[in-house]
Amino acid sequence: MNKLHSPNIVTQNTSAVKISAKVVSKPLNIGTGFTAKTFREKDFDQQMDPLAMVDHYVMTTPTFGAHPHAGLSAVSVLFEDSSGKFHNRDSLGNDFDILPGDLYWLKAGSGAVHDEAPRPNARIHGLQVFVNLPAKHKKDAPASKHVSAKDMPIIEENGVRVRIVAGESNHISGPTSPALPMTILDGKIQQDASFQHDLNAKENAWIYAVENDITVKIADQVIILSAGEAIAISNLNSNAPQNIQFSSASIEEAHFALFAAQPVEEEFIQKGPFILSNEKDIQQAEADYAAGLFGSLD
């Protein structure tokens, strides 16, 4: 459950802002075609909320097959250096290819079946994110949204290139989610350049160094994240936005991702592709899936 605290986590208090300790990703390899660096919400002392899981992955062959989801949103962010097509199918009737740079958001709600697989010779590089849903929305009908890379606003100037995959940054609005409002940024910063983003009051942010070292400055704290490391920031105790500054911490271009949203702040249980309020609901979801109530890909 997300209300459990780890005794190994240390947070820094900067006025109203709480900053988690840096967390190093854990390796996850499945078969010969899927490698990932993975994070779980328990490592961030609730400050990752509403995110429950993030996998930074490379997939080159079909890995998971058709699988169920319930009580969460499964969010796929493809980086622009992916190559080839990512075949997406789900029980909502979607059957199409996701391309490099695209976003696919599946709000599973009461239950959906999903499958994503690289087309032959494709190399898919991106983030797979499980986003918790409030208990009042866990039984919602499934919904989805596909956003093409060409429809995402880009902030590009002075050695900075930041894609607004979803939400808003620097008064520029991008696509909206079909579930909880969320900002997702995919940014690259060259040496001696900088980028700023205001974290809204009552929001959490999760920041990840995708490639090379990045410097994150918030209030009076300066954190250097190496590739594969992440931090979570909580602005819940403030009534004002908090400015976050990003810059490259090396001579190489730094690549980062940011997710920001208001937390759900509810206990939950995650069991594989299900995130529900209690064990009884997990068992019911398993029974519903077995009975075919989540639909099919046919």
Side-chain angles (χ1 to χ4, degrees), residues 54-58 76-84 98-103 123-128 149 152 161 163 165 184-188 206 208-211 255-259:
V54 179
D55 285 344
H56 171 206
Y57 70 94
V58 172
S76 298
V77 178
L78 270 59
F79 292 132
E80 294 173 293
D81 64 355
S82 296
S83 60
I98 305 172
L99 301 179
D102 286 5
L103 166 74
R123 178 185 181 275
I124 306 303
H125 178 212
L127 300 175
Q128 177 69 43
M152 298 174 186
R161 187 176 189 276
R163 302 193 309 138
V165 178
I184 304 174
L185 304 180
D186 173 18
K188 295 183 177 180
W206 185 81
Y208 175 58
V210 179
E211 186 176 11
H255 185 186
F256 74 92
L258 174 145
F259 291 73

Side-chain angles (χ1 to χ4, degrees), residues 23-62:
V23 176
V24 180
S25 59
K26 296 179 175 65
L28 174 64
N29 301 314
I30 301 176
T32 59
F34 182 90
T35 61
K37 299 174 181 178
T38 189
F39 298 90
R40 298 294 184 268
E41 55 82 26
K42 64 182 180 180
D43 299 324
F44 293 90
D45 197 25
Q46 301 179 57
Q47 291 166 245
M48 194 181 182
D49 186 0
L51 307 188
M53 183 200 84
V54 179
D55 285 344
H56 171 206
Y57 70 94
V58 172
M59 189 189 303
T60 55
T61 60

Side-chain angles (χ1 to χ4, degrees), residues 107-127:
K107 176 187 174 184
S110 60
V113 181
H114 188 214
D115 182 32
E116 288 178 321
R119 294 289 192 179
N121 302 315
R123 178 185 181 275
I124 306 303
H125 178 212
L127 300 175

Side-chain angles (χ1 to χ4, degrees), residues 21 28 36 44 61 99 112 153 156 195 228 245 253 264 285 297-298:
L28 174 64
F44 293 90
T61 60
L99 301 179
E156 191 166 14
F195 171 76
Q245 300 179 39
E253 180 180 71
V264 173
L297 302 184
D298 298 333

Side-chain angles (χ1 to χ4, degrees), residues 192-215:
D192 299 325
S194 63
F195 171 76
Q196 299 187 35
H197 173 78
D198 286 337
L199 178 63
N200 292 329
K202 311 305 179 185
E203 283 190 341
N204 285 342
W206 185 81
I207 298 169
Y208 175 58
V210 179
E211 186 176 11
N212 296 319
D213 296 350
I214 189 159
T215 300

Side-chain angles (χ1 to χ4, degrees), residues 18 70 85 207 212 243 275:
K18 291 177 62 180
K85 299 176 180 179
I207 298 169
N212 296 319
N243 183 257
I275 296 181

Side-chain angles (χ1 to χ4, degrees), residues 3-296:
K3 292 298 183 182
L4 298 181
H5 294 264
S6 168
N8 299 319
I9 294 173
V10 178
T11 59
Q12 304 171 23
N13 291 292
T14 307
S15 61
V17 179
K18 291 177 62 180
I19 306 171
S20 76
K22 291 190 292 187
V23 176
V24 180
S25 59
K26 296 179 175 65
L28 174 64
N29 301 314
I30 301 176
T32 59
F34 182 90
T35 61
K37 299 174 181 178
T38 189
F39 298 90
R40 298 294 184 268
E41 55 82 26
K42 64 182 180 180
D43 299 324
F44 293 90
D45 197 25
Q46 301 179 57
Q47 291 166 245
M48 194 181 182
D49 186 0
L51 307 188
M53 183 200 84
V54 179
D55 285 344
H56 171 206
Y57 70 94
V58 172
M59 189 189 303
T60 55
T61 60
T63 301
F64 299 101
H67 54 276
H69 287 299
L72 57 80
S73 291
V75 180
S76 298
V77 178
L78 270 59
F79 292 132
E80 294 173 293
D81 64 355
S82 296
S83 60
K85 299 176 180 179
F86 202 30
H87 187 202
N88 177 86
R89 300 183 300 152
D90 58 47
S91 54
L92 283 70
N94 295 305
D95 188 343
F96 54 80
D97 290 326
I98 305 172
L99 301 179
D102 286 5
L103 166 74
Y104 186 68
W105 189 304
L106 174 61
K107 176 187 174 184
S110 60
V113 181
H114 188 214
D115 182 32
E116 288 178 321
R119 294 289 192 179
N121 302 315
R123 178 185 181 275
I124 306 303
H125 178 212
L127 300 175
Q128 177 69 43
V129 185
F130 284 1
V131 182
N132 190 21
L133 288 171
K136 65 181 180 181
H137 292 305
K138 289 187 181 295
K139 295 299 183 181
D140 287 357
S144 66
K145 188 168 189 175
H146 174 218
V147 181
S148 297
K150 62 181 178 59
D151 295 324
M152 298 174 186
I154 299 175
I155 300 171
E156 191 166 14
E157 58 183 12
N158 302 323
V160 171
R161 187 176 189 276
V162 177
R163 302 193 309 138
I164 303 177
V165 178
E168 184 271 339
S169 183
N170 289 271
H171 307 293
I172 299 173
S173 296
T176 58
S177 88
L180 300 177
M182 178 175 289
T183 291
I184 304 174
L185 304 180
D186 173 18
K188 295 183 177 180
I189 304 177
Q190 297 177 8
Q191 186 183 24
D192 299 325
S194 63
F195 171 76
Q196 299 187 35
H197 173 78
D198 286 337
L199 178 63
N200 292 329
K202 311 305 179 185
E203 283 190 341
N204 285 342
W206 185 81
I207 298 169
Y208 175 58
V210 179
E211 186 176 11
N212 296 319
D213 296 350
I214 189 159
T215 300
V216 180
K217 182 178 180 181
I218 182 166
D220 59 350
Q221 295 290 331
V222 177
I223 302 105
I224 297 178
L225 295 177
S226 297
E229 294 182 338
I231 57 170
I233 300 171
S234 173
N235 196 28
L236 300 186
N237 296 322
S238 172
N239 292 315
Q242 186 68 53
N243 183 257
I244 307 174
Q245 300 179 39
F246 298 86
S247 59
S248 176
S250 70
I251 62 174
E252 304 292 337
E253 180 180 71
H255 185 186
F256 74 92
L258 174 145
F259 291 73
Q262 292 189 359
V264 173
E265 296 188 290
E266 295 175 356
E267 292 189 0
F268 65 81
I269 295 175
Q270 179 179 356
K271 185 175 182 181
F274 300 144
I275 296 181
L276 294 163
S277 300
N278 51 59
E279 186 61 38
K280 180 180 178 181
D281 289 347
I282 293 281
Q283 293 172 356
Q284 185 62 57
E286 292 175 330
D288 289 347
Y289 173 57
L293 300 183
F294 286 12
S296 69

